[in-house]
């Protein structure tokens, strides 16, 4: 795997400095898709837990560094959104 290296904050876009007002939970590898991952976050609403939400965002790589941009809706670079949720 190599030596540990600090890569910095992978989040980019509006509110990236606040991790999109969510906390990272898991990185989901997409089965059958090489180098295709979804960053999963949860966004707590402590005064109304039923209105807590999840945030799923694509992970891209640039020069072997992960990037997690804010997008309103996304599909895998190699498939449709339908293929991702199957």
């Amino acid at each position: 795997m190599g030596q540990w290296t600090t890569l910095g904050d992978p989040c980019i876009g509006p509110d990236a400095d606040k991790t999109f007002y969510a906390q990272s939970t898991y990185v989901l590898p997409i089965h059958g898709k090489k180098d295709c991952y979804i960053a999963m976050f949860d966004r707590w609403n402590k005064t109304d837990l039923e209105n807590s939400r999840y945030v799923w965002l694509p992970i891209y790589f640039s020069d072997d560094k992960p990037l997690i941009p804010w997008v309103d809706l996304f599909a895998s670079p190699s498939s449709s959104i339908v293929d991702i949720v199957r």
Side-chain angles (χ1 to χ4, degrees), residues 37-56:
Y37 304 92
I38 296 174
M40 302 171 74
F41 301 81
D42 55 73
R43 185 180 287 163
W44 283 75
N45 181 341
K46 66 181 180 181
T47 59
D48 187 2
L49 289 177
E50 289 183 9
N51 280 317
S52 295
R53 299 287 182 249
Y54 294 104
V55 176
W56 290 19

Side-chain angles (χ1 to χ4, degrees), residues 8-13 15-20 41 57 66-70:
D9 187 352
C11 298
I12 55 176
D15 299 317
D17 60 327
K18 298 170 188 74
T19 320
F20 313 117
F41 301 81
L57 296 169
L67 299 174
I68 304 171
W70 177 262

